[in-house]
Amino acid sequence: MILQALNGYYQRLLTRGEEGLAPFGYSPEKIGYEILLAPDGRVVDVNDIRDTSGRKPLPRLMNVPQPEKRTVGIKSNFLWDKTSYVLGVSTTSKRADKEHEAFKTLHRESLAGTDDPGLKALLAFLAAWTPERFSEPQSHFTEEMRDANMVFRLDGEKTYLHERPAAQAIRARLLAGEDGEAAVLAAPCLVTGERLPMARLHPPIKGVNGAQSSGASIVSFNLESFASYGKSQGENAPISEQAAFAYTTVLNHLLRRSEHNRQRIQIGDASVVFWAEAEADDEAEAAEEFLANTWNWDDRPTDAQENNAMGLALAKLVQGKPLHEIDPRLSASTRIYVLGLAPNASRISIRFWYVDTLGALARNVAWHAHDMHLEPAPWSGMPALWRLVLATAPSRDGRAKAEDVPPQLAGDLMRAVLSGTRYPGSLLANVLMRMRTDGDLSGVRVAICKAFLARQRRFNCNSNEEVPVSLDKESTSPGYRLGRLFAVLESVQRAALGGQVNATIRDRYYGAASATPASVFPVLLRNTQNHLGKLRKDKPGFAFNLEKDIAEIVDGLPEHFPRSLRIEAQGQFAIGYYHQSQSRFRKAADGSDADTDSTTEGASA
């Protein structure tokens, strides 16, 4: 199913002439120089074709014959390669002589009998060239060219040798197995159903974070233990050369690292790509743009108009408005494909695979935004999925790293958002553990707690307990009330000690207060009386308000503090703490009697 969808997407992109997408047998590779040949094989010049728009020259991507899959063997590419193969010179390879001989052998055999002037010039060049000529003053070569990839062009013509019709015809015969090694066995392709030559090895997939830089494979049979019934390598899962090329090429296109590529996002260790399928190309492009805007919300350049437009779109989604009101090009029947890939040594594992209509996906995203809704909002727009995933990782100086995200959790969270199912059970536990460990009670983390509990309540029809969106003084949840009480006690401490406080009760007691209230709150309340005594002298009005808040909250609690709180109640504790803290902060902003020394940076996004 995955390979079939990728193959279909490749064919559609190829039909509409997608820039940077290579036809069968070719792939975009980094090329640094071109060797300009005379008809008799002489080197007329060597031109630097690197991209010089940046700070330093970089090789530019060019569609060339697909490279050979090299491990430890020597295999030459067709009509291009690095200098150890093309010229027999290198600063790193210790077998440049053998690699150059392989390059000459391949082209002597494959180009034998050709009448094409450009290909005949290459044969003449290879017959006359010796590696020693590289260092000659009049050779046109320089030391910085060593180990760079090179292509050939005939002097006076614009097309490269690998682009000439004669070269493409020879390349097609090589791919069909009519030249070189024995022809590849033909069999019905599992992707297309056509009887075609099978791919023994599939082209590498590059761009997956954490995978080998040279590329990794989704389909691979590289050990004898993977084979059965006498079949080896690609024979175990017969996929044609064309289909293998198609799915790997379009996947590399989706995974490319480019500022213009918005169909790729990183969720924890999973490299996620997505695409759309619709009757009209503009409908598919609109759907892909809509998803990119939604999932990369706060990872985009700051532009007030764009942000406002996206905020309105998400608001309409949450309100259940039809997609065509957001964008007339959007259709609810458009098919959406989302693929999550994770590194696994030399292979790539499928973290998740989601297929549905845009209408269903939009509803699920709207439910996610509804569940995440928190007042006061700790963000200007709904946080991107990658930011939610980072909230489950350790926070060091307010920053988290993707490699610290639990891998399974990242995939499960993405799947839950896409499909509208339950959030993973480990989500709440991870967030609560991180808040206790690093003391970062960010608004995003609190919103995750709220979303988890809200979705759990929706799926558990027997639950009558509401999850507050904003400060709810009527809530009878012990966890929520204890969180509010803890926030008020912290405000008393801050107000009484002012700038002299080195560590608040949140820094020292939050973990114990949220898990085992009975062991902490009696001590905190006794200490609070000392702080209130000081406040009555300095700020009697503020002290009165704080005592009133404490009495109101305690009156709604059981006679005895709970010995422990379940994990769901600990989530309620975090929400109550956030609401009460933000309420005090908002009162200060409005100019009412509040603790002007208190800060709420820990409860902000």
Side-chain angles (χ1 to χ4, degrees):
M1 177 63 182
I2 297 176
L3 302 190
Q4 288 176 333
L6 286 168
N7 178 69
Y9 188 52
Y10 169 81
Q11 300 299 337
R12 291 194 297 275
L13 290 183
L14 202 63
T15 301
R16 75 185 190 195
E18 179 74 11
E19 183 178 356
L21 200 68
F24 176 56
Y26 288 72
S27 66
E29 302 295 333
K30 297 177 180 178
I31 307 297
Y33 301 91
E34 64 171 9
I35 300 176
L36 201 61
L37 298 177
D40 60 359
R42 288 181 298 106
V43 177
V44 177
D45 203 353
V46 180
N47 297 325
D48 187 343
I49 58 174
R50 294 177 295 176
D51 182 5
T52 57
S53 60
R55 293 184 177 180
K56 65 176 184 178
L58 295 174
R60 69 184 180 95
L61 289 178
M62 180 185 296
N63 282 335
V64 295
Q66 194 171 6
E68 294 291 334
K69 194 168 186 178
R70 297 168 180 159
T71 51
V72 295
I74 296 177
K75 295 181 180 179
S76 171
N77 294 329
F78 185 60
L79 296 177
W80 73 277
D81 218 315
K82 55 186 178 180
T83 57
S84 61
Y85 279 86
V86 174
L87 305 173
V89 296
S90 173
T91 56
T92 57
S93 177
K94 298 181 180 179
R95 52 183 189 179
D97 54 339
K98 296 180 181 178
E99 291 172 345
H100 181 54
E101 187 60 36
F103 188 82
K104 293 196 295 185
T105 300
L106 169 66
H107 291 85
R108 277 200 303 261
E109 294 177 353
S110 60
L111 304 183
T114 182
D115 295 326
D116 183 82
L119 300 182
K120 291 173 67 176
L122 175 62
L123 289 175
F125 163 77
L126 293 175
W129 175 262
T130 59
E132 293 73 21
R133 296 177 60 182
F134 182 87
S135 302
E136 293 178 358
Q138 66 275 21
S139 68
H140 303 288
F141 293 99
T142 61
E143 289 299 316
E144 71 171 348
M145 296 179 183
R146 287 180 182 265
D147 297 312
N149 287 331
M150 295 187 165
V151 292
F152 296 90
R153 183 164 63 88
L154 190 62
D155 187 25
E157 298 189 7
K158 294 183 179 180
T159 58
Y160 295 101
L161 294 194
H162 63 268
E163 297 174 334
R164 301 173 74 90
Q168 293 177 342
I170 295 173
R171 173 65 176 164
R173 291 201 305 271
L174 290 173
L175 289 174
E178 295 177 6
D179 289 324
E181 299 180 358
V184 180
L185 179 65
C189 174
L190 295 178
V191 175
T192 65
E194 300 178 14
R195 189 174 185 83
L196 295 167
M198 290 187 304
R200 186 176 61 87
L201 297 175
H202 293 201
I205 298 168
K206 302 177 182 180
V208 176
N209 274 17
Q212 293 181 348
S213 58
S214 58
S217 301
I218 291 179
V219 181
S220 174
F221 300 89
N222 61 328
L223 297 176
E224 291 185 5
S225 57
F226 301 153
S228 59
Y229 297 99
K231 300 182 182 297
S232 63
Q233 295 182 321
E235 296 175 0
N236 289 275
I239 297 174
S240 66
E241 290 278 2
Q242 289 92 327
F245 175 83
Y247 90 79
T248 54
T249 298
V250 77
L251 201 47
N252 284 327
H253 179 72
L254 289 168
L255 288 166
R256 70 193 186 281
R257 301 182 185 278
S258 167
E259 61 180 349
H260 303 297
N261 180 20
R262 303 190 62 215
Q263 291 177 251
R264 179 190 191 278
I265 55 175
Q266 192 67 33
I267 307 294
D269 73 331
S271 299
V272 183
V273 295
F274 56 90
W275 66 96
E277 177 184 343
E279 294 183 1
D281 287 343
D282 63 333
E283 290 182 0
E285 292 175 6
E288 291 165 358
E289 181 182 355
F290 173 75
L291 293 179
N293 290 340
T294 303
W295 292 341
N296 291 295
W297 162 263
D298 53 1
D299 194 29
R300 305 178 61 201
T302 56
D303 184 296
Q305 292 183 346
E306 282 191 357
N307 285 344
N308 184 54
M310 195 61 230
L312 291 175
L314 289 173
K316 289 181 179 180
L317 271 184
V318 175
Q319 295 168 8
K321 300 292 184 180
L323 287 168
H324 64 79
E325 287 192 16
I326 300 174
D327 187 332
R329 298 175 300 165
L330 294 178
S331 171
S333 61
T334 298
R335 299 285 291 176
I336 301 297
Y337 302 86
V338 186
L339 176 62
L341 303 173
N344 183 13
S346 61
R347 289 184 177 83
I348 296 173
S349 60
I350 306 299
R351 183 70 74 196
F352 54 83
W353 168 241
Y354 174 84
V355 182
D356 211 330
T357 63
L358 180 60
L361 180 59
R363 287 193 299 272
N364 295 335
V365 171
W367 272 117
H368 170 68
H370 179 272
D371 291 338
M372 288 287 296
H373 181 57
L374 191 67
E375 290 293 342
W379 48 67
S380 58
M382 188 178 73
L385 291 175
W386 63 265
R387 189 173 295 281
L388 298 185
V389 169
L390 283 181
T392 66
S395 176
R396 300 181 180 90
D397 299 325
R399 299 178 64 87
K401 296 182 178 179
E403 54 264 29
D404 294 331
V405 175
Q408 193 66 35
L409 175 60
D412 291 345
L413 177 58
M414 182 74 174
R415 189 182 300 109
V417 173
L418 295 175
S419 59
T421 56
R422 294 175 184 266
Y423 292 117
S426 59
L427 177 62
L428 182 60
N430 262 277
V431 172
L432 292 174
M433 178 181 65
R434 293 306 172 200
M435 289 194 291
R436 291 196 300 266
T437 303
D438 55 40
D440 181 11
L441 274 70
S442 70
V444 172
R445 284 179 169 178
V446 175
I448 291 175
C449 295
K450 187 263 176 183
F452 182 92
L453 296 174
R455 184 161 295 196
Q456 183 183 56
R457 178 184 178 278
R458 193 165 68 250
F459 277 94
N460 296 340
C461 300
N462 58 342
S463 176
N464 296 319
E465 185 178 345
E466 291 284 351
V467 183
V469 175
S470 57
L471 180 62
D472 182 7
K473 295 185 177 182
E474 304 301 321
S475 174
T476 58
S477 165
Y480 185 79
R481 280 190 168 266
L482 288 170
R484 289 182 58 205
L485 178 60
F486 192 78
V488 175
L489 299 184
E490 183 187 24
S491 295
V492 174
Q493 181 194 34
R494 286 185 180 276
L497 301 181
Q500 300 177 7
V501 59
N502 294 322
T504 67
I505 61 172
R506 189 189 74 189
D507 300 322
R508 293 182 176 178
Y509 298 108
Y510 180 85
S514 62
T516 55
S519 65
V520 174
F521 274 97
V523 176
L524 295 179
L525 286 172
R526 285 196 298 269
N527 292 338
T528 298
Q529 294 306 314
N530 298 329
H531 297 322
L532 285 173
K534 184 176 184 301
L535 276 179
R536 291 188 190 101
K537 299 176 183 178
D538 302 333
K539 302 176 182 178
F542 184 48
F544 175 79
N545 288 333
L546 288 174
E547 286 183 289
K548 183 180 177 182
D549 287 344
I550 293 174
E552 177 266 321
I553 296 172
V554 172
D555 284 346
L557 288 170
E559 183 177 354
H560 300 287
F561 288 109
R563 296 177 59 87
S564 63
L565 291 179
R566 297 177 58 187
I567 188 170
E568 292 83 2
Q570 293 179 39
Q572 291 273 15
F573 187 100
I575 300 170
Y577 174 84
Y578 175 84
H579 283 159
Q580 191 68 42
S581 298
Q582 289 294 320
S583 174
R584 182 68 56 191
F585 179 70
R586 292 175 71 181
K587 286 180 181 179
D590 294 339
S592 58
D593 190 8
D595 176 15
T596 55
D597 294 326
S598 65
T599 59
T600 55
E601 63 267 55
S604 61

